[in-house]
């Protein structure tokens, strides 16, 4: 019997040979106490590692000012670099590849997470409104401080240094987090970028910071080790754009000239069709525009993932909540086996086991 499309091999760039098309999406887990990865992270990631598979880490801070949540990991200190090494080694021992997602939250933060209780930095002084947490409580953020143009190269260097540290920790590459309402997207989208300098206004200016980060990281570690995640259609953290199609098409086209390995893009929100949640499949123009590897994300299941691969809509498909709840997800998809249900209430608890490494495998 021929393998299902998701389980067919794929060569990523010139040298990354993947045995299947199922990717672990970045998932914030908030179990890196004091912003340092812990031994239980090695268990968690190695559980989800399969020979020839690709894992993307949870969002990982590039500096002390990049933080906005409790117990999220970083990769800007020697201690953090050393703590990541056994995690990477555990994944490599299973024959898998792992990229570190590099993150700066920007204005999605509060005084308590910033050095010296300072204001979070952003493209703007516009504050993020209160957000509803998974448990129904409200999360509030502090008023941000607009980065001066002369400060921006320093933030770019934070991404550069973090990328170098990630490679020193043994990662196979890095993914730049350019979506979900965080700092890079705060520059990209016109709801958050109200600047009048060379980093604001027209589309090309709003994309300037993102492309400077891409160039710096690619120069530091090699473009063949670099990807970027984008969410042009989403409105996370009050961050939306008046013309997301133009934004996505411009970025996908521009990135061809920057020598990076892949673009990882999030679909628009799923729609209900006949009582079933269906992936919109609206990323085709950007998949066609970008000439490297294209990873699709956003509510995919086995059927939708197979369709995306079979039709050439994406090269790889990343799975978030399904991979969280099913550490052996590639095997389950291959066998069309039942899937564990995820428990939303344990996504962000601090326990090193519950909702983290305790999801069952197939017998």
């Amino acid at each position: 019997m021929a393998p299902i499309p998701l389980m067919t091999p794929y060569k990523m760039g010139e040298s990354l040979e993947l045995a299947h098309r199922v990717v672990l999406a970045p998932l914030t887990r908030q179990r890196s106490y004091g912003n340092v990865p812990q031994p239980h992270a090695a268990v968690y990631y190695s559980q989800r590692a399969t020979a020839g598979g690709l894992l993307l880490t949870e969002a990982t801070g590039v500096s002390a000012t990049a933080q906005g949540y409790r117990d999220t990991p970083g990769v800007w200190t020697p201690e953090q670099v050393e703590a990541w090494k056994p995690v990477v080694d555990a994944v490599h021992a299973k024959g898998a590849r792992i990229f570190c997602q590099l993150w700066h939250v920007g204005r999605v933060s509060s005084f308590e997470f910033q050095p010296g209780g300072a204001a979070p930095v952003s493209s703007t002084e516009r504050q993020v409104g209160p957000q509803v947490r998974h448990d129904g409580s409200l999360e509030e953020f502090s008023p941000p401080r607009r980065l001066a143009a002369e400060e921006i190269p320093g933030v770019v260097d934070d991404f550069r240094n973090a990328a170098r540290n990630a490679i020193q920790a043994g990662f196979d590459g890095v993914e730049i987090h350019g979506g979900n309402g965080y700092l890079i997207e705060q520059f990209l989208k016109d709801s958050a970028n109200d600047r009048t300098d060379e980093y604001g206004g027209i589309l090309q200016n709003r994309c300037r910071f993102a492309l400077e980060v891409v160039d710096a990281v690619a120069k530091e570690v090699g473009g063949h080790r670099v990807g970027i995640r984008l969410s042009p259609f989403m409105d996370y953290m009050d961050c939306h754009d008046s013309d997301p199609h133009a934004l996505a098409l411009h970025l996908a086209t521009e990135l061809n000239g920057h020598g990076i390995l892949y673009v990882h893009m999030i679909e628009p929100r799923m729609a209900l069709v006949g009582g079933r949640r269906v992936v919109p499949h609206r990323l085709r123009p950007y998949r066609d525009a970008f000439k490297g590897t294209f990873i699709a994300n956003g509510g995919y299941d086995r059927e939708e993932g197979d369709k995306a691969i079979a039709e050439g809509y994406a090269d790889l498909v990343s799975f978030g909540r399904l991979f969280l709840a099913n550490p052996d997800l590639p095997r389950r998809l291959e066998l069309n086996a039942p899937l564990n249900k995820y428990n939303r209430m344990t996504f962000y608890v601090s326990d090193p086991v519950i909702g983290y490494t305790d999801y069952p495998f197939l017998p």
Side-chain angles (χ1 to χ4, degrees):
M1 181 181 297
I4 66 171
L6 281 168
M7 298 309 297
T8 56
Y10 176 72
K11 187 174 183 180
M12 193 174 182
E14 295 298 320
S15 59
L16 286 180
E17 301 279 356
L18 302 180
H20 56 77
R21 315 288 186 108
V22 181
V23 177
L24 173 66
L27 296 164
T28 294
R29 304 313 315 275
Q30 293 187 253
R31 290 165 170 87
S32 294
Y33 312 137
N35 305 127
V36 178
Q38 301 294 308
H40 46 256
V43 178
Y44 171 79
Y45 284 107
S46 66
Q47 283 181 337
R48 287 154 183 80
T50 56
L54 175 63
L55 310 181
L56 305 175
T57 72
E58 60 210 276
T60 301
V62 299
S63 69
T65 67
Q67 302 302 298
Y69 301 92
R70 170 185 50 80
D71 294 335
T72 53
V75 69
W76 74 86
T77 71
E79 180 187 9
Q80 291 164 339
V81 172
E82 289 302 311
W84 273 119
K85 288 180 178 179
V87 179
V88 174
D89 289 346
V91 169
H92 285 164
K94 292 283 193 73
R97 307 282 190 151
I98 183 167
F99 277 44
C100 182
Q101 190 188 63
L102 303 180
W103 188 34
H104 194 305
V105 301
R107 66 178 182 168
V108 186
S109 187
S110 58
F111 302 137
E112 67 175 298
F113 292 112
Q114 294 298 307
V121 298
S122 181
S123 62
T124 181
E125 293 178 351
R126 294 174 178 169
Q127 186 175 359
V128 181
Q131 304 289 313
V132 179
R133 295 188 179 99
H134 284 78
D135 61 4
S137 64
L138 283 182
E139 184 171 20
E140 297 188 359
F141 304 95
S142 299
R145 178 179 68 81
R146 187 195 311 271
L147 281 164
E150 57 268 24
E151 294 179 283
I152 291 175
V155 182
V156 172
D157 276 342
D158 288 339
F159 278 91
R160 183 204 315 272
N161 293 333
R164 181 178 64 248
N165 289 345
I167 299 304
Q168 289 176 354
F171 284 102
D172 299 288
V174 296
E175 177 177 283
I176 298 164
H177 197 341
N180 295 72
Y182 298 116
L183 182 62
I184 290 177
E185 193 167 82
Q186 290 159 32
F187 277 86
L188 290 174
K189 292 187 173 179
D190 54 20
S191 73
N193 188 335
D194 57 356
R195 304 175 72 94
T196 58
D197 62 7
E198 65 268 35
Y199 290 94
I202 63 173
L203 181 59
Q204 291 78 2
N205 283 357
R206 287 186 280 117
C207 293
R208 188 184 306 276
F209 174 60
L211 295 176
E212 286 179 351
V213 170
V214 167
D215 281 343
V217 170
K219 182 178 180 180
E220 186 66 39
V221 303
H224 63 291
R225 293 192 178 102
V226 179
I228 188 169
R229 193 176 207 223
L230 303 169
S231 59
F233 293 97
M234 307 309 285
D235 57 0
Y236 293 120
M237 302 298 174
D238 300 340
C239 208
H240 54 86
D241 196 78
S242 60
D243 192 347
H245 169 70
L247 175 63
L249 189 61
H250 177 77
L251 280 169
T253 304
E254 280 293 308
L255 286 166
N256 287 317
H258 294 261
I260 65 171
L261 181 62
Y262 70 81
V263 166
H264 183 189
M265 196 172 289
I266 304 173
E267 294 274 5
R269 296 192 186 278
M270 292 183 291
L272 279 176
V273 178
R276 179 175 179 268
R277 291 166 69 84
V278 176
V279 175
H281 292 291
R282 286 174 55 191
L283 304 183
R284 171 63 77 174
Y286 325 116
R287 190 270 189 276
D288 291 343
F290 182 68
K291 304 308 178 186
T293 293
F294 192 87
I295 306 176
N297 172 268
Y300 280 85
D301 56 16
R302 183 182 190 267
E303 179 182 344
E304 297 278 9
D306 277 340
K307 178 182 177 183
I309 300 302
E311 296 180 355
Y313 177 83
D315 298 304
L316 306 170
V317 177
S318 70
F319 295 83
R321 290 167 292 185
L322 290 185
F323 221 148
L324 181 158
N326 297 273
D328 54 353
L329 182 65
R331 183 175 177 226
R332 289 177 187 259
L333 295 178
E334 184 174 26
L335 299 175
N336 201 19
L339 299 176
N340 301 324
K341 295 184 184 300
Y342 55 82
N343 181 355
R344 188 181 296 272
M345 298 304 294
T346 63
F347 282 178
Y348 306 118
V349 300
S350 61
D351 193 281
V353 175
I354 296 172
Y356 193 59
T357 60
D358 60 345
Y359 282 103
F361 289 74
L362 284 174

